Each structure stands twice: as structure tokens, then as C-alpha cells.
Amino acid sequence: MSARRMVRDAEGERVATALARKRVDLAKIALGERGPVWWDDRAPDYNSHMAKNTPYADWFAALEMPAKQ
């Protein structure tokens, strides 16, 4: 979070913003949020699919969606 605060605080300063964003990137890599996959549970990856096109379609259809305003 300190790296994200650095991005916020560096607003308008190109060099400081670039350095802060690099720090955020390094933190995310260290946490496993970016970079190569470090696990293999052999489960199919549905992240890039619409829920209605996955085995979760029935669950998704049963959700109550908020009314559009």
C-alpha cells in the first residue's frame, strides 16, 4: 500500500510517478499477483470467459442483478 500511496502523492510528477508505479509492479510480482503462474491445480481457467459460457452458468443466472439506473 505504501507504493500505491507513492503513486497518489506523485501526481503530476512524471519521474516520481514512474518510479512509484515500478515499485507497485515489483510489489505485485513479489505477492504473486503478476508474473508467471506459481501454482498448478490442473483446474480449467475460466477467467477470460463470460459466466454464462462456463459451468457456473446456472449459478450466474440465479443471481439477482441490481436494476440499471
Side-chain angles (χ1 to χ4, degrees), residues 7-68:
V7 171
R8 178 197 64 203
D9 295 343
E11 184 178 350
E13 301 175 38
R14 287 182 44 210
V15 174
T17 298
L19 289 172
R21 289 188 187 281
K22 181 63 178 172
R23 188 167 168 198
V24 169
D25 186 53
L26 291 172
K28 286 183 172 274
I29 291 169
L31 290 169
E33 295 179 18
R34 292 189 181 153
V37 175
W38 50 268
W39 69 93
D40 182 13
D41 60 5
R42 301 185 193 271
D45 183 4
Y46 296 112
N47 285 329
S48 61
H49 295 78
M50 296 181 71
K52 68 180 183 178
N53 298 325
T54 71
Y56 301 100
D58 292 338
W59 165 81
F60 183 73
L63 292 177
E64 293 199 19
M65 298 298 190
K68 290 186 180 181

